[in-house]
Amino acid sequence: GGGFAAYGIYPEYKDFFALHMFLEDRAARKSCEAFLRETMEIVHLERIPIRTTPAITNEPLIWRFFVTPLRSTLASMQIDEEECVTRAVMAINTRIKGAYVFSCGKHMGVFKAVGYPEDVGKFYRLEEYAGYAWTAHGRYPTNTPGWWGGAHPFALLDYTIVHNGEISSYDANRRYIEMYGYKCNLLTDTEVITYIIDFLNRKQKLCLEDIAKIIAAPFWSEIDSDKYSESERQKLRYFRNVFSSLLITGPFSIILGFDGGLMALNDRLKLRSMVAAEKGDMVYLASEECAIRAICPVVDRIWSPRDGEPIIVKLNEKK
C-alpha cells in the first residue's frame, strides 16, 4: 500500500475537522452521516476527487466530511472538540459496518490506497493540492494482509505516522492504550504508535522531546551514567516507571506529522536507518538517503540522527 499526508491543504475549511472515509456502500455513508449529525454540524460533504487508473483497483467509496462539534454536545459531555472527534472516529471504526475514518484532522488530510505511492498520487490527483508539509510511504506488508485501511500514514486528529520497522512490544502497548478509550483494530502495529503520540501529547501534555524519551527510552544503565544531570535522571526514571508499557521495542524509524511540523525518530538501538537533509528553507526526512536524493539531488546538509534522538522541525523554525 502507498499513502500521503498533507498539511495546510484545506485553507477554506481550516477551522473544521476533515474526516476522510472509506465506505463500503451508500448505506454505510448514510449511517455515518446520521451518526455524525447527532453530535456535530456537517458544513460540507463530498466524494474525494479521484482519477481512474488501471493501477488502482477495487476502490471503496471515498468521501470527506467537514465537521465541527456542536456546542451543546461539548457542554453536555464536558469534553473539548478534539476529544469529541476522537470518540466519534473510534465509534465509527468499531461500530458502523463498512465504514472506516482514515483521517480526521484540521487543515490536513491523508490519502492512501493499495498500490505504489506514485500511482496513489495520480489516483487522488494530488497535484491539485498544495501544503506546507507532506509525508509519504510505500508499504510492503509482511505480517498482515495488504488492504486500503492498512496503508500508511495512520492518523488521528492532526497526528500522522509513517513507520518502517517491526514493533515487538505491540501487545503491551495496545493493552495500555486501550485502557484510555482507544481501539486498535486496523491490523497493523503502526496504529498503536499514532494513538500513543496522541495520548502523550494531547492528553498528557508532554512535549515531543519528552515523548521521544518515553517511546525510545534510554537504557537503565545509560540513565544511571554521568551522561545526564541528576534532575534529568529523575525525569527519565519517572518516565520509565510511569509509562513503562509505552516503551516501543524492536526496530523502527518513524516520521510524525503534526500541526506545524514534523518529527523523525529511530529506535534506541538504531536498528532502522533514518536520514535528514536541508536545502534552503526546506527539510527532508526519510528512512533512506536515496529517497531524499530522488527529490533533491543536491542538498546543503545531510546527516543521520542518533538512536532515540528526535529530529523536530517546525514551520518557520528549525530545531
Side-chain angles (χ1 to χ4, degrees), residues 227 266-267 270 304-310:
K227 180 177 180 179
N266 268 134
D267 62 84
K270 201 168 178 60
S304 294
R306 295 181 179 179
D307 47 290
E309 177 187 353

Side-chain angles (χ1 to χ4, degrees), residues 18 50 56 60-61 75 79 83 103 122 128 143 145 172 176 186 197 200 221 229 240 261 265 272 274-275 284 310 315:
I50 61 172
I56 305 293
L61 298 176
I79 57 177
E83 184 62 22
S103 178
K122 293 175 184 177
E128 300 174 12
N143 296 308
Y176 183 96
L186 299 178
I197 298 294
L200 293 174
S221 58
S229 67
R240 290 225 56 181
L265 181 67
R272 284 291 186 272
M274 176 68 74
V275 181
Y284 302 91
L315 189 62

Side-chain angles (χ1 to χ4, degrees), residues 100 112 137-141 144 149-156 159-170 173-174 177 183-198 215 248 251-256:
Y100 166 43
K112 60 184 183 177
H137 190 272
R139 178 178 185 238
Y140 187 85
T144 57
H152 297 205
F154 274 79
L156 183 66
Y159 305 104
T160 59
I161 289 287
V162 292
H163 163 225
N164 173 27
E166 184 66 34
I167 298 176
S168 57
S169 58
Y170 172 77
N173 299 152
R174 177 187 56 79
I177 209 68
K183 302 296 182 184
C184 299
N185 55 9
L186 299 178
L187 306 180
T188 177
D189 51 12
T190 309
E191 178 188 26
V192 77
I193 303 177
T194 309
Y195 298 160
I196 288 172
I197 298 294
D198 177 71
I215 64 177
I248 298 176
F252 70 81
S253 57
I254 63 172
I255 296 177
L256 162 70

Side-chain angles (χ1 to χ4, degrees), residues 50-306:
I50 61 172
R51 178 186 292 114
T52 302
T53 170
I56 305 293
T57 59
N58 300 318
E59 67 269 18
L61 298 176
I62 310 172
W63 280 68
R64 55 188 169 205
F65 294 70
F66 294 92
V67 304
T68 186
L70 298 171
R71 291 185 179 180
S72 58
T73 300
L74 302 180
S76 63
M77 300 178 68
Q78 297 185 327
I79 57 177
D80 60 18
E81 287 187 338
E82 292 180 327
E83 184 62 22
C84 183
V85 171
T86 298
R87 293 185 186 185
V89 169
M90 296 295 160
I92 290 172
N93 289 353
T94 56
R95 301 177 197 167
I96 298 182
K97 183 180 179 181
Y100 166 43
V101 180
F102 62 97
S103 178
C104 58
K106 278 188 175 181
H107 206 23
M108 60 80 64
V110 168
F111 306 85
K112 60 184 183 177
V114 174
Y116 292 107
E118 59 269 30
D119 295 322
V120 175
K122 293 175 184 177
F123 176 77
Y124 281 108
R125 297 159 51 171
L126 292 189
E127 72 277 3
E128 300 174 12
Y129 297 86
Y132 63 80
W134 290 77
T135 61
H137 190 272
R139 178 178 185 238
Y140 187 85
T142 54
N143 296 308
T144 57
W147 67 296
W148 285 65
H152 297 205
F154 274 79
L156 183 66
L157 299 174
D158 289 316
Y159 305 104
T160 59
I161 289 287
V162 292
H163 163 225
N164 173 27
E166 184 66 34
I167 298 176
S168 57
S169 58
Y170 172 77
D171 280 336
N173 299 152
R174 177 187 56 79
R175 286 194 298 268
Y176 183 96
I177 209 68
E178 287 190 338
M179 292 192 299
Y180 295 90
Y182 300 91
K183 302 296 182 184
C184 299
N185 55 9
L186 299 178
L187 306 180
T188 177
D189 51 12
T190 309
E191 178 188 26
V192 77
I193 303 177
T194 309
Y195 298 160
I196 288 172
I197 298 294
D198 177 71
F199 173 75
L200 293 174
N201 188 238
R202 179 175 65 91
K203 292 190 174 184
Q204 298 298 313
K205 309 299 182 186
L206 294 175
C207 67
L208 295 176
E209 290 87 350
D210 284 346
I211 291 172
K213 292 181 176 69
I214 292 171
I215 64 177
F219 290 93
W220 283 111
S221 58
E222 184 179 354
I223 293 173
D224 293 332
S225 69
D226 295 333
K227 180 177 180 179
Y228 300 102
S229 67
E230 181 57 32
S231 61
E232 290 174 323
R233 283 195 288 269
Q234 289 180 3
K235 182 166 74 169
L236 291 171
R237 291 185 190 118
Y238 174 82
F239 285 160
R240 290 225 56 181
N241 286 319
V242 174
F243 299 114
S244 59
S245 294
L246 296 185
L247 170 66
I248 298 176
T249 59
F252 70 81
S253 57
I254 63 172
I255 296 177
L256 162 70
F258 58 93
D259 183 18
L262 299 169
M263 178 176 80
L265 181 67
N266 268 134
D267 62 84
R268 58 184 182 166
L269 287 174
K270 201 168 178 60
L271 298 173
R272 284 291 186 272
S273 61
M274 176 68 74
V275 181
E278 295 176 351
K279 177 70 173 180
D281 62 355
M282 294 290 292
V283 177
Y284 302 91
L285 304 168
S287 59
E288 304 290 345
E289 181 179 343
C290 60
I292 296 175
R293 297 291 186 182
I295 297 174
C296 184
V298 180
V299 298
D300 299 331
R301 178 190 176 210
I302 191 163
W303 75 100
S304 294
R306 295 181 179 179

